[in-house]
Amino acid sequence: METKLKIAIQKSGRLNEDSIRILKEAGIEFNNGLNKLKAEAYNFPLEVFFLRDDDIPQYVEDGIADIGIVGENVLIEKNKKVSIVNKLGFGKCRLSIAIPKNEKYKSIQDLEGKRIATSYSVILSKFLKKNKINAEIHEISGSVEIAPSIGLADAICDLVSSGSTLFTNGLKEVEVVLKSEAVLVSNNTLSKSKENILEKLIFRINAVKKAKNNKYILLNAPNKNLDAICKILPGMKSPTILPLADKRWSSVHSVVNENEFWDIIEKLKAKGAEGILVIPIEKMIV
Ligand code: PRT
Ligand code: ZN
């Protein structure tokens, strides 16, 4: 029988859509219909399990699933023996301590003796210990942000992304405990054949991630500045240069990293580049 790699992803919630998307962009097709617990990919040796995010680290440690996609926050809190094989760049958030916005706060010492409500007691207690703060941790499983207003706690430790939940509950962020994003995790003892499938999957995911971070750029350059323009453009090897009907100009094609993009465009314009076109890349294999 053909070996299949089993991947656990979140059934519903914030990581569900992006987890499905990254697999689909890697060219893996499967049916993710509502209320499905399991799906087999049609064109790749992969079986997808849809689970609660909290259960994913345990399933991967036990080998019920070989790999999984989960937030680093959940992974660290659950403290299971699995390996992180890839950071996925979505589901970004931070685990932060927040207090009522009118309370004074100078330093972490102000948390001494306070009651802090959280669903992340393992991570929080390590953080407090490291900072030599004695505080009382109240473990609650949801709606942490209302704890101060109902008198359950003096502070909270919860996930933040835009900050609007804190704001609407009259809270302010005072300490960042952990920065988190979705990661691909693996069981520590995969068979050789499963390792091979995982390698193929990682290769594809990296090609998609790389493509997202890069843009294909086309421009017209005056020949007299061609050398200077080529020096500005990194390219995968070197830029492609094609002659134009007008003998004084050439068309230059290259690949530019998103982070340096605007900087490079400005330099190109300063050297007389015109008709600059920027095109998204679907996959990038280097
Ligand atoms: O049902 P299941 O157990 O699978 O899902 P869940 O309800 O436990 O988790 P879910 O879907 O809410 O989140 C899954 C993962 O998404 C988390 O473990 C994080 O890794 C990641 N993530 C990214 C977030 C957020 N951003 C986030 N903002 N998880 C939760 N939030 C919540 C936060 O708890 C708070 O209530 O959103 C609120 C704050 O958001 P802002 O934008 O108002 O700051
Ligand atoms: Zn959960």
Side-chain angles (χ1 to χ4, degrees):
M1 211 181 73
E2 186 199 18
T3 307
K4 289 196 176 190
L5 192 70
K6 292 174 283 182
I7 185 170
I9 65 171
Q10 196 189 22
K11 182 171 167 49
S12 66
R14 289 171 189 261
L15 300 184
N16 167 267
E17 260 180 42
D18 283 331
S19 304
I20 291 173
R21 185 186 43 76
I22 205 161
L23 294 175
K24 297 217 161 164
E25 282 175 349
I28 300 167
E29 289 168 27
F30 55 93
N31 180 344
N32 55 288
L34 265 187
N35 297 322
K36 276 202 138 202
L37 296 177
K38 210 170 103 169
E40 292 208 10
Y42 312 125
N43 57 354
F44 194 82
L46 190 75
E47 218 174 326
V48 187
F49 292 108
F50 301 94
L51 298 169
R52 286 205 52 193
D53 66 346
D54 314 72
D55 298 332
I56 291 176
Q58 182 77 61
Y59 275 92
V60 174
E61 184 186 87
D62 293 346
I64 311 286
D66 302 307
I67 59 172
I69 295 178
V70 67
E72 285 173 291
N73 52 306
V74 171
L75 189 63
I76 298 171
E77 180 67 22
K78 300 290 176 191
N79 201 12
K80 300 293 173 200
K81 290 185 201 70
V82 299
S83 335
I84 296 182
V85 289
N86 211 328
K87 292 206 172 199
L88 299 174
F90 61 83
K92 285 191 178 168
C93 57
R94 51 197 191 273
L95 183 67
S96 290
I97 297 176
I99 62 170
K101 69 170 187 289
N102 298 326
E103 298 275 323
K104 288 211 173 59
Y105 191 87
K106 276 209 224 66
S107 75
I108 196 163
Q109 303 307 325
D110 293 341
L111 296 173
E112 184 69 31
K114 294 277 158 60
R115 298 165 303 159
I116 311 176
T118 190
S119 318
Y120 292 90
S121 56
V122 172
I123 300 175
L124 177 60
S125 69
K126 273 190 206 146
F127 176 82
L128 293 173
K129 201 167 169 198
K130 194 181 81 193
N131 287 287
K132 302 193 171 58
I133 301 292
N134 285 305
E136 212 179 288
I137 299 177
H138 280 249
E139 167 109 34
I140 51 178
S141 61
S143 304
V144 174
E145 65 278 1
I146 63 166
S149 63
I150 61 172
L152 183 71
D154 308 303
I156 66 163
C157 174
D158 198 13
L159 298 176
V160 181
S161 46
S162 68
S164 68
T165 302
L166 293 185
F167 182 80
T168 50
N169 286 281
L171 300 168
K172 65 179 175 190
E173 193 174 357
V174 293
E175 298 287 340
V176 175
V177 175
L178 175 84
K179 286 197 171 148
S180 174
E181 67 183 86
V183 290
L184 184 67
V185 293
S186 161
N187 177 275
N188 284 334
T189 50
L190 288 187
S191 68
K192 194 77 204 117
S193 50
K194 286 185 172 178
E195 285 271 4
N196 286 339
I197 304 170
L198 178 57
E199 245 170 61
K200 279 188 199 162
L201 178 67
I202 294 170
F203 177 80
R204 292 190 186 193
I205 288 175
N206 283 339
V208 173
K209 270 174 33 186
K210 216 169 169 70
K212 277 205 193 332
N213 288 331
N214 286 279
K215 300 274 179 267
Y216 193 77
I217 178 166
L218 297 110
L219 56 93
N220 294 335
N223 286 342
K224 62 178 167 47
N225 288 350
L226 212 47
D227 276 352
I229 284 180
C230 289
K231 283 209 185 85
I232 301 167
L233 289 168
M236 283 211 265
K237 285 240 163 32
S238 61
T240 307
I241 301 169
L242 301 168
L244 289 182
D246 181 338
K247 295 280 181 289
R248 292 164 304 167
W249 287 78
S250 298
S251 167
V252 179
H253 302 197
S254 190
V255 172
V256 173
N257 190 284
E258 185 98 307
N259 299 326
E260 317 167 303
F261 181 75
W262 289 110
D263 200 34
I264 287 179
I265 297 280
E266 271 170 33
K267 288 185 185 155
L268 291 171
K269 283 179 69 182
K271 292 286 174 202
E274 285 181 8
I276 304 173
L277 292 182
V278 180
I279 300 166
I281 301 171
E282 195 180 286
K283 308 261 185 324
M284 193 164 149
I285 291 131
V286 289

